[in-house]
Amino acid sequence: GRLPFALGLRGGGAGLPPWMRHAHRRLSSQRRFSSASNEGTSAQQTSGGIRGALAKYNALNEAHPTTTKVGTSVVILLFGDTMAQRIQHRSAAKTSEDGAAPAFRMDWRRLAAFASFGAIYTGYFQMHWFRYLQTVFPRQVGLKARFLRKDVLAPLLINQLGMVCVGYYPFFFAWTGFVRGRTWDESMEEMKKKYKLKLLAQNWAFWIPAQGVQFALVPSSYHILYVSAMGLAWNTILSLVTLEKIPEAAEELKRKKA
């Protein structure tokens, strides 16, 4: 008696008697509803968690704006350069003859250089710089989310074609060189060697679209959070492009080859 019953269930209940077919459909409908409800609850919990985190960040931002913005940029830059150092460590191991990787050792002065640069420029200076740009070019309320607007294009182009060229990169090479123990001449020589049109082109390819979204869509209270989050990817690229392989890893590889 069990086999026909099982075949009836497998065919969607078509092989069952009418009174059992109705019960089967009702049970299947309840299961689908329960599954959809569970998925909806999970999505709501995730969405609620994100909104809760943003609400807490906004509260901190309103109570302690400078500390919150500077702390945000420092934490994200620390994470980004730590990732970059590990990537470079694996890359250095691949260049060795036997392919054996030495033990990873953090370059703490380099990490401090990136973190302090993030605190000074990304967190503190850009907080006031973006505020000034939005004072000169106030956001137009009630317009559609379009990028070809004066309040979007003007601060975007002034920042990317002006401040980035004459402020961001010169300060980056000078400050990170200082923290890492280089002389002024060594830092300037490093900038001459690496600050070229290719680096600017890479910067514009990444940041012009990213900051277009920032000035068009992101509320001003979240500018530093947004820039820092986007900077997680960019600062990893920047550390890979502008800084040499980790000295400790390179020296250990040399000793192994000898």
Side-chain angles (χ1 to χ4, degrees):
R2 292 184 180 179
L3 183 59
F5 181 78
L7 289 174
L9 288 178
R10 195 173 299 172
L16 296 174
W19 64 273
M20 293 184 67
R21 192 183 312 159
H22 176 71
H24 173 70
R25 288 175 180 172
R26 188 173 181 180
L27 180 61
S28 298
S29 176
Q30 289 176 349
R31 287 176 178 173
R32 286 195 296 268
F33 178 77
S34 177
S35 177
S37 299
N38 291 336
E39 291 176 0
T41 301
S42 178
Q44 289 177 355
Q45 289 175 347
T46 302
S47 177
I50 294 173
R51 286 198 297 267
L54 287 175
K56 289 179 181 179
Y57 178 84
N58 201 37
L60 284 172
N61 202 17
E62 290 179 358
H64 311 284
T66 302
T67 304
T68 302
K69 290 178 173 65
V70 170
T72 299
S73 61
V74 168
V75 169
I76 292 178
L77 269 165
L78 284 172
F79 182 69
D81 190 56
T82 300
M83 287 174 55
Q85 290 198 38
R86 290 189 174 276
I87 292 169
Q88 288 177 334
H89 177 259
R90 289 195 294 268
S91 177
K94 291 178 182 178
T95 61
S96 64
E97 293 178 358
D98 56 3
F104 174 74
R105 293 178 62 187
M106 183 70 71
D107 186 343
W108 294 106
R109 294 193 75 167
R110 166 179 156 162
L111 195 65
F114 265 87
S116 56
F117 173 80
I120 296 169
Y121 188 91
T122 307
Y124 187 78
F125 171 75
Q126 285 193 323
M127 173 180 66
H128 298 288
W129 173 238
F130 291 152
R131 186 181 300 162
Y132 171 75
L133 288 175
Q134 289 205 308
T135 301
V136 178
F137 305 100
R139 177 170 289 182
Q140 300 177 31
V141 181
L143 295 180
K144 293 182 179 179
R146 295 180 299 176
F147 294 92
L148 298 180
R149 298 181 349 221
K150 180 181 178 181
D151 60 315
V152 175
L153 289 178
L156 171 63
L157 295 178
I158 289 172
N159 187 56
Q160 287 298 320
L161 302 182
M163 182 56 68
V164 167
C165 298
V166 302
Y168 175 76
Y169 278 113
F171 179 66
F172 170 80
F173 283 104
W175 179 257
T176 56
F178 168 73
V179 176
R180 300 186 77 195
R182 293 172 179 163
T183 65
W184 175 260
D185 291 337
E186 289 172 341
S187 296
M188 292 302 100
E189 185 63 29
E190 186 78 4
M191 185 174 74
K192 289 178 183 178
K193 182 171 67 174
K194 295 180 178 177
Y195 182 29
K196 296 180 179 179
L197 184 59
K198 180 181 178 181
L199 182 59
L200 274 176
Q202 291 170 334
N203 176 91
W204 291 331
F206 183 89
W207 278 109
I208 286 179
Q211 287 206 306
V213 173
Q214 173 193 340
F215 290 119
L217 302 176
V218 179
S220 58
S221 60
Y222 293 107
H223 275 187
I224 299 302
L225 175 62
Y226 172 81
V227 169
S228 297
M230 295 302 295
L232 176 61
W234 171 245
N235 288 318
T236 303
I237 295 171
L238 183 64
S239 65
L240 293 172
V241 170
T242 61
L243 294 177
E244 73 284 349
K245 291 180 178 179
I246 302 172
E248 290 82 353
E251 290 173 5
E252 190 165 345
L253 283 171
K254 289 179 181 179
R255 288 197 298 270
K256 288 185 69 175
K257 289 179 180 179

mmCIF file of all heavy atoms in Angstrom, residues 29-47:
data_model
loop_
_atom_site.group_PDB
_atom_site.id
_atom_site.type_symbol
_atom_site.label_atom_id
_atom_site.label_comp_id
_atom_site.label_asym_id
_atom_site.label_seq_id
_atom_site.Cartn_x
_atom_site.Cartn_y
_atom_site.Cartn_z
ATOM 1 N N SER A 29 1.400 24.137 0.130
ATOM 2 C CA SER A 29 1.288 25.588 0.135
ATOM 3 C C SER A 29 1.800 26.172 1.444
ATOM 4 O O SER A 29 2.496 27.187 1.470
ATOM 5 C CB SER A 29 -0.173 25.985 -0.095
ATOM 6 O OG SER A 29 -0.327 27.382 -0.011
ATOM 7 N N GLN A 30 1.486 25.516 2.562
ATOM 8 C CA GLN A 30 1.958 25.994 3.864
ATOM 9 C C GLN A 30 3.472 25.929 3.964
ATOM 10 O O GLN A 30 4.121 26.817 4.524
ATOM 11 C CB GLN A 30 1.314 25.166 4.979
ATOM 12 C CG GLN A 30 -0.171 25.433 5.163
ATOM 13 C CD GLN A 30 -0.782 24.519 6.201
ATOM 14 O OE1 GLN A 30 -0.163 23.562 6.647
ATOM 15 N NE2 GLN A 30 -2.025 24.823 6.589
ATOM 16 N N ARG A 31 4.074 24.850 3.393
ATOM 17 C CA ARG A 31 5.540 24.727 3.420
ATOM 18 C C ARG A 31 6.209 25.827 2.613
ATOM 19 O O ARG A 31 7.217 26.399 3.017
ATOM 20 C CB ARG A 31 5.935 23.350 2.897
ATOM 21 C CG ARG A 31 5.652 22.206 3.861
ATOM 22 C CD ARG A 31 5.985 20.877 3.234
ATOM 23 N NE ARG A 31 5.756 19.774 4.166
ATOM 24 C CZ ARG A 31 5.836 18.496 3.834
ATOM 25 N NH1 ARG A 31 6.111 18.173 2.557
ATOM 26 N NH2 ARG A 31 5.633 17.563 4.734
ATOM 27 N N ARG A 32 5.631 26.104 1.397
ATOM 28 C CA ARG A 32 6.215 27.170 0.576
ATOM 29 C C ARG A 32 6.093 28.510 1.269
ATOM 30 O O ARG A 32 7.014 29.327 1.246
ATOM 31 C CB ARG A 32 5.510 27.204 -0.782
ATOM 32 C CG ARG A 32 5.894 26.063 -1.711
ATOM 33 C CD ARG A 32 5.455 26.348 -3.136
ATOM 34 N NE ARG A 32 3.991 26.427 -3.226
ATOM 35 C CZ ARG A 32 3.216 25.401 -3.503
ATOM 36 N NH1 ARG A 32 3.751 24.188 -3.719
ATOM 37 N NH2 ARG A 32 1.903 25.556 -3.591
ATOM 38 N N PHE A 33 4.966 28.771 1.903
ATOM 39 C CA PHE A 33 4.763 30.031 2.613
ATOM 40 C C PHE A 33 5.741 30.169 3.771
ATOM 41 O O PHE A 33 6.312 31.228 4.022
ATOM 42 C CB PHE A 33 3.323 30.122 3.116
ATOM 43 C CG PHE A 33 3.035 31.367 3.900
ATOM 44 C CD1 PHE A 33 2.843 32.579 3.259
ATOM 45 C CD2 PHE A 33 2.990 31.330 5.292
ATOM 46 C CE1 PHE A 33 2.589 33.729 3.983
ATOM 47 C CE2 PHE A 33 2.736 32.476 6.018
ATOM 48 C CZ PHE A 33 2.529 33.683 5.367
ATOM 49 N N SER A 34 5.929 29.043 4.500
ATOM 50 C CA SER A 34 6.865 29.055 5.631
ATOM 51 C C SER A 34 8.281 29.325 5.169
ATOM 52 O O SER A 34 9.022 30.096 5.784
ATOM 53 C CB SER A 34 6.796 27.722 6.374
ATOM 54 O OG SER A 34 7.734 27.679 7.426
ATOM 55 N N SER A 35 8.689 28.700 4.035
ATOM 56 C CA SER A 35 10.036 28.916 3.502
ATOM 57 C C SER A 35 10.233 30.353 3.073
ATOM 58 O O SER A 35 11.257 30.977 3.361
ATOM 59 C CB SER A 35 10.258 27.970 2.317
ATOM 60 O OG SER A 35 11.521 28.203 1.740
ATOM 61 N N ALA A 36 9.216 30.915 2.385
ATOM 62 C CA ALA A 36 9.313 32.315 1.945
ATOM 63 C C ALA A 36 9.367 33.254 3.144
ATOM 64 O O ALA A 36 10.087 34.253 3.149
ATOM 65 C CB ALA A 36 8.129 32.659 1.050
ATOM 66 N N SER A 37 8.606 32.937 4.186
ATOM 67 C CA SER A 37 8.601 33.777 5.392
ATOM 68 C C SER A 37 9.965 33.773 6.063
ATOM 69 O O SER A 37 10.458 34.809 6.525
ATOM 70 C CB SER A 37 7.530 33.300 6.366
ATOM 71 O OG SER A 37 6.253 33.390 5.791
ATOM 72 N N ASN A 38 10.595 32.580 6.131
ATOM 73 C CA ASN A 38 11.916 32.489 6.745
ATOM 74 C C ASN A 38 12.947 33.293 5.963
ATOM 75 O O ASN A 38 13.791 33.974 6.540
ATOM 76 C CB ASN A 38 12.350 31.027 6.836
ATOM 77 C CG ASN A 38 11.525 30.253 7.849
ATOM 78 O OD1 ASN A 38 10.952 30.841 8.769
ATOM 79 N ND2 ASN A 38 11.456 28.940 7.676
ATOM 80 N N GLU A 39 12.883 33.205 4.608
ATOM 81 C CA GLU A 39 13.816 33.974 3.784
ATOM 82 C C GLU A 39 13.591 35.466 3.967
ATOM 83 O O GLU A 39 14.536 36.248 4.057
ATOM 84 C CB GLU A 39 13.651 33.582 2.317
ATOM 85 C CG GLU A 39 14.121 32.166 2.005
ATOM 86 C CD GLU A 39 13.855 31.786 0.563
ATOM 87 O OE1 GLU A 39 13.313 32.629 -0.192
ATOM 88 O OE2 GLU A 39 14.192 30.646 0.177
ATOM 89 N N GLY A 40 12.301 35.865 4.011
ATOM 90 C CA GLY A 40 12.004 37.282 4.209
ATOM 91 C C GLY A 40 12.480 37.773 5.570
ATOM 92 O O GLY A 40 13.002 38.882 5.688
ATOM 93 N N THR A 41 12.328 36.951 6.595
ATOM 94 C CA THR A 41 12.785 37.327 7.938
ATOM 95 C C THR A 41 14.297 37.496 7.974
ATOM 96 O O THR A 41 14.820 38.441 8.573
ATOM 97 C CB THR A 41 12.352 36.265 8.960
ATOM 98 O OG1 THR A 41 10.938 36.141 8.933
ATOM 99 C CG2 THR A 41 12.792 36.654 10.353
ATOM 100 N N SER A 42 15.016 36.581 7.306
ATOM 101 C CA SER A 42 16.476 36.675 7.260
ATOM 102 C C SER A 42 16.925 37.945 6.557
ATOM 103 O O SER A 42 17.840 38.641 7.016
ATOM 104 C CB SER A 42 17.044 35.444 6.549
ATOM 105 O OG SER A 42 18.440 35.528 6.444
ATOM 106 N N ALA A 43 16.270 38.270 5.427
ATOM 107 C CA ALA A 43 16.621 39.495 4.694
ATOM 108 C C ALA A 43 16.321 40.731 5.530
ATOM 109 O O ALA A 43 17.101 41.694 5.546
ATOM 110 C CB ALA A 43 15.855 39.550 3.376
ATOM 111 N N GLN A 44 15.185 40.717 6.257
ATOM 112 C CA GLN A 44 14.834 41.852 7.104
ATOM 113 C C GLN A 44 15.829 42.018 8.241
ATOM 114 O O GLN A 44 16.197 43.137 8.606
ATOM 115 C CB GLN A 44 13.426 41.662 7.669
ATOM 116 C CG GLN A 44 12.318 41.824 6.638
ATOM 117 C CD GLN A 44 10.946 41.552 7.216
ATOM 118 O OE1 GLN A 44 10.827 41.151 8.370
ATOM 119 N NE2 GLN A 44 9.910 41.765 6.414
ATOM 120 N N GLN A 45 16.296 40.901 8.808
ATOM 121 C CA GLN A 45 17.279 40.979 9.889
ATOM 122 C C GLN A 45 18.590 41.570 9.382
ATOM 123 O O GLN A 45 19.212 42.395 10.051
ATOM 124 C CB GLN A 45 17.511 39.590 10.483
ATOM 125 C CG GLN A 45 16.335 39.072 11.301
ATOM 126 C CD GLN A 45 16.544 37.648 11.777
ATOM 127 O OE1 GLN A 45 17.449 36.951 11.316
ATOM 128 N NE2 GLN A 45 15.698 37.190 12.696
ATOM 129 N N THR A 46 19.016 41.139 8.164
ATOM 130 C CA THR A 46 20.243 41.684 7.589
ATOM 131 C C THR A 46 20.110 43.173 7.320
ATOM 132 O O THR A 46 20.982 43.976 7.658
ATOM 133 C CB THR A 46 20.591 40.954 6.275
ATOM 134 O OG1 THR A 46 20.726 39.563 6.548
ATOM 135 C CG2 THR A 46 21.874 41.489 5.685
ATOM 136 N N SER A 47 18.978 43.541 6.695
ATOM 137 C CA SER A 47 18.727 44.954 6.405
ATOM 138 C C SER A 47 18.642 45.770 7.687
ATOM 139 O O SER A 47 19.183 46.877 7.775
ATOM 140 C CB SER A 47 17.433 45.087 5.606
ATOM 141 O OG SER A 47 17.129 46.438 5.367
#
